[in-house]
Amino acid sequence: MSANLSAILYLVSGVLFILALRGLSSPETSRQGNLFGITGMVIAVTVTFLSVGNFSSGFIYVLIFLSIGGCIGAFIAYRIPMTAMPELVAGFHSLVGLAAVFVAISAFINPDAFGLGTPGNIKLASLIEMAIGAAVGAITFSGSVIAFLKLQGIMSGAPITFKGQHLLNALILILILFLTFYLCSTQSSNLFWTLIAVSFLIGFLIIIPIGGADMPVVISMLNSYSGWAAAGIGFTLENTALIITGALVGSSGAILSYIMCKGMNRSFFNVILGGFGATDQSIKGKSKEQRPVKSGNADDAAFLMKNASSVIIVPGYGMAVAQAQHALREMVDTLKKNDIKVSYAIHPVAGRMPGHMNVLLAEANVPYDEVFELEEINNDFANADVAFVIGANDVTNPVAKTDPQSPIYGMPVLDVEKCKSVLFVKRSLSPGYAGIDNDLFYKENTLMLFADAKKMTEDITKNL
Amino acid sequence: MEIDPFIFRLSIFILSIFVGYYVVWSVTPSLHTPLMSVTNAISSVIIVGAIIAALSNNDGAIFSSSSIYGFLAIILAAVNIFGGFLVTQRMLAMYKKKKKDK
């Protein structure tokens, strides 16, 4: 296949990827968008086969390895529960990162095959691109592995901090720049391996100080990195499809990180430097005083809801942990039968990844036009009778609006307290991720329901 | 003086960042999770590099120090491509509108 024709076809697949993302602007067009994405991928892979034009026994092996990976991927995709999506996405990011590292290594060892020169005499520009691709890929890999372990609960979600952490990270980043510079002047393979090893290390060190509830930012950031790694490799291979895709994914992840940071009213650097939550433990201990709370049972909750005309449900990460989304839908079905208007309010950082709650509600067959974002629904709380908070905490804390001393001051929160009554499902009075007490617990109109989210929801349904 | 082809690739790159910027801002927040899984899948187009790496041997041997990395990368990217697109498909199939009869 001529180089020009394949370049044009790579461009076509890049455009199809753009359309795939464009489709996600509404659920109706999204399925078609995904098909565009698949078509783009098929074109890119086919063109690569045709342009390499090597259909010897090696080709058979490529197909075999391709199907092995494909089967594993398909198996995971069908088996994974929706509550585990954050882990899955983190895991997938690590694979993109590692694949980028492998391609860069292969190009470094055998630059002839890629038309980049000979070993020890690689074109300068290609070497720089290769080094960037490998370093960013390695950071993506080790960072995503840590994110995966934290989300999966294998590693504690608590931030891990130590003295001199930021200084160490800064030194390592400078070291990476130096290694890249010397690699370019000496072409030494030892430096190349060191560069990769050090990049693995920094990826690991960057993610460990970041706590569990900041994971939405971390996942989006790693999403972005995986894109930049792909773009770096795309420059090395002089491949348009990869360059376009890398840029798309890179900017997509960056925008998501931005949206998540805004949802917490924290700067990106504040999140990345980490340690949030852990540092606030001391504050929590000081201000701990006994305040009266009203607590109730499923019967009380059912009574309140039965007499309401509109109910707003506020789901959070606790709903995912308790797998309560189906029980919740059943409760809402019963409410709707009694002509009670029900809607869902989703905070941008609810859950462990962007859009996490929306997927879980969709899984439980909740129509997406009953689910609203913070800005769309926040004014409705004042007119609603009951707010049902299930598994959310910090995102409902009125302190964010009233107390400038609070670590979450200025964070956009759902105006849950404006409802006539608030039902708060929670296992105990323990503070949320930010380590601060939720003022909502002690409000006159709040009824605490101390129980597992799923069990409580089921009990309420029985009592309705 | 002739323009280095690198400049053309850089132009494509920069313009794609802008395209990505505008396209992603128009994605509805409720689809942010599928957005992440689909960007994951498409970034695995890195498989084209893996295939070139795997088929890079001229001397008849299938596995060499450089092609073995290609084959490993093929597996990783394939897991991602199939896994990413299928799980996105599965998620998107769940997003339904309110039934009219209710």
Side-chain angles (χ1 to χ4, degrees):
Chain A
M1 191 182 268
S2 88
N4 285 332
L5 182 59
S6 54
I8 286 174
L9 287 172
Y10 280 132
L11 182 64
V12 170
S13 87
V15 171
L16 284 167
F17 291 149
I18 295 175
L19 293 176
L21 299 193
R22 183 79 189 88
L24 290 170
S25 58
S26 110
E28 281 113 81
T29 53
S30 61
R31 285 172 275 259
Q32 191 196 16
N34 201 35
L35 291 180
F36 282 137
I38 295 172
T39 317
M41 189 59 75
V42 171
I43 293 177
V45 171
T46 316
V47 170
T48 310
F49 280 138
L50 294 178
S51 55
V52 174
N54 177 355
F55 293 99
S56 61
S57 49
F59 177 70
I60 308 292
Y61 278 96
V62 169
L63 288 185
I64 292 173
F65 281 82
L66 190 69
S67 4
I68 294 175
C71 289
I72 301 173
F75 180 76
I76 297 173
Y78 280 111
R79 293 298 299 274
I80 191 94
M82 283 300 145
T83 41
M85 277 319 290
E87 292 94 301
L88 180 76
V89 169
F92 278 173
H93 285 154
S94 72
L95 301 185
V96 180
L98 196 57
V101 175
F102 284 162
V103 173
I105 292 176
S106 182
F108 186 78
I109 299 177
N110 188 0
D112 293 324
F114 296 86
L116 305 175
T118 50
N121 191 18
I122 301 170
K123 280 188 288 182
L124 179 65
S126 311
L127 199 57
I128 298 174
E129 294 152 3
M130 223 182 271
I132 294 174
V136 180
I139 294 173
T140 312
F141 172 72
S142 55
S144 302
V145 167
I146 300 299
F148 175 83
L149 294 177
K150 284 196 171 198
L151 288 164
Q152 187 81 320
I154 299 173
M155 199 173 143
S156 155
I160 299 168
T161 49
F162 52 88
K163 262 211 156 82
Q165 192 164 26
H166 300 321
L167 184 67
L168 178 68
N169 290 353
L171 287 177
I172 294 180
L173 285 175
I174 294 169
L175 179 64
I176 288 181
L177 291 181
F178 267 104
L179 284 171
T180 314
F181 180 77
Y182 280 110
L183 174 68
C184 293
S185 51
T186 61
Q187 306 249 351
S188 145
S189 59
N190 283 338
L191 283 176
F192 187 69
W193 294 112
T194 319
L195 176 69
I196 292 176
V198 172
S199 305
F200 277 130
L201 182 68
I202 188 76
F204 171 78
L205 287 172
I206 285 176
I207 307 300
I208 53 165
I210 305 179
D214 283 339
M215 280 301 150
V217 181
V218 171
I219 297 193
S220 321
M221 182 185 82
L222 292 167
N223 186 238
S224 182
Y225 285 1
S226 70
W228 304 130
I233 301 295
F235 276 104
T236 316
L237 304 182
E238 311 184 344
N239 183 304
T240 331
L242 252 174
I243 295 176
I244 296 178
T245 318
L248 286 180
V249 177
S251 54
S252 161
I255 291 173
L256 289 177
S257 315
Y258 171 77
I259 296 176
M260 293 300 114
C261 287
K262 223 179 79 188
M264 299 193 283
N265 188 38
R266 294 170 58 200
S267 74
F268 184 68
F269 282 104
N270 184 296
V271 175
I272 293 311
L273 293 179
F276 194 70
T279 47
D280 299 312
Q281 295 296 330
S282 52
I283 305 169
K284 183 193 81 189
K286 269 185 284 173
S287 66
K288 196 103 186 174
E289 53 188 281
Q290 286 297 321
R291 284 196 278 174
V293 280
K294 281 197 289 181
S295 76
N297 56 26
D299 204 16
D300 305 329
F303 177 79
L304 268 172
M305 284 208 251
K306 232 188 288 181
N307 292 304
S309 60
S310 69
V311 173
I312 299 178
I313 292 171
V314 182
Y317 181 57
M319 180 187 82
V321 175
Q323 303 257 15
Q325 67 271 30
H326 297 279
L328 182 67
R329 216 268 342 285
E330 278 163 32
M331 186 187 91
V332 169
D333 283 349
T334 323
L335 289 174
K336 279 197 216 152
K337 270 185 213 135
N338 291 318
D339 283 326
I340 299 165
K341 187 176 164 280
V342 185
S343 36
Y344 299 80
I346 309 234
H347 192 274
V349 293
R352 284 292 184 265
M353 74 182 294
H356 191 189
M357 291 299 119
N358 303 79
V359 171
L360 293 182
L361 292 176
E363 187 201 9
N365 279 321
V366 172
Y368 60 80
D369 37 9
E370 287 176 9
V371 182
F372 300 94
E373 303 301 316
L374 178 114
E375 307 88 57
E376 298 172 320
I377 199 164
N378 229 2
N379 293 327
D380 298 353
F381 280 106
N383 305 318
D385 297 309
V386 176
F388 186 73
V389 183
I390 173 165
N393 187 359
D394 289 336
V395 298
T396 62
N397 197 341
V399 158
K401 288 176 288 191
T402 54
D403 179 9
Q405 303 298 319
S406 168
I408 61 166
Y409 182 71
M411 168 172 142
V413 287
L414 292 158
D415 296 335
V416 175
E417 77 281 357
K418 289 188 180 152
C419 268
K420 288 202 190 74
S421 44
V422 178
L423 296 170
F424 209 112
V425 186
K426 202 168 180 310
R427 263 179 295 195
S428 69
L429 271 184
S430 63
Y433 170 70
I436 45 166
D437 238 3
N438 192 339
D439 258 12
L440 196 59
F441 297 165
Y442 313 103
K443 293 266 177 197
E444 195 60 18
N445 54 350
T446 305
L447 189 67
M448 298 298 295
L449 306 168
F450 293 112
D452 173 71
K454 189 176 176 191
K455 190 158 179 311
M456 177 51 75
T457 329
E458 283 166 352
D459 287 348
I460 294 175
T461 315
K462 275 184 216 142
N463 282 303
L464 275 169
Chain B
M1 200 183 117
E2 226 177 300
I3 298 171
D4 191 313
F6 172 79
I7 302 300
F8 287 115
R9 286 191 285 276
L10 189 67
S11 320
I12 294 174
F13 179 65
I14 303 288
L15 291 176
S16 302
I17 291 178
F18 279 91
V19 171
Y21 180 85
Y22 288 106
V23 168
V24 171
W25 270 116
S26 75
V27 171
T28 163
S30 68
L31 291 176
H32 276 163
T33 299
L35 170 68
M36 300 203 90
S37 61
V38 86
T39 48
N40 221 316
I42 64 173
S43 56
S44 304
V45 73
I46 201 157
I47 197 167
V48 303
I51 294 172
I52 298 174
L55 295 176
S56 58
N57 287 332
N58 317 316
D59 50 7
I62 293 163
F63 296 106
S64 70
S65 58
S66 75
S67 76
I68 199 88
Y69 285 107
F71 281 111
L72 289 175
I74 287 178
I75 296 190
L76 298 177
V79 170
N80 239 324
I81 293 173
F82 283 76
F85 279 124
L86 288 174
V87 87
T88 309
Q89 192 85 348
R90 213 182 117 198
M91 273 192 272
L92 293 176
M94 299 185 313
Y95 282 82
K96 291 186 198 86
K97 253 197 152 138
K98 209 183 309 194
K99 285 195 200 85
K100 286 279 182 287
D101 54 5
K102 273 199 172 166

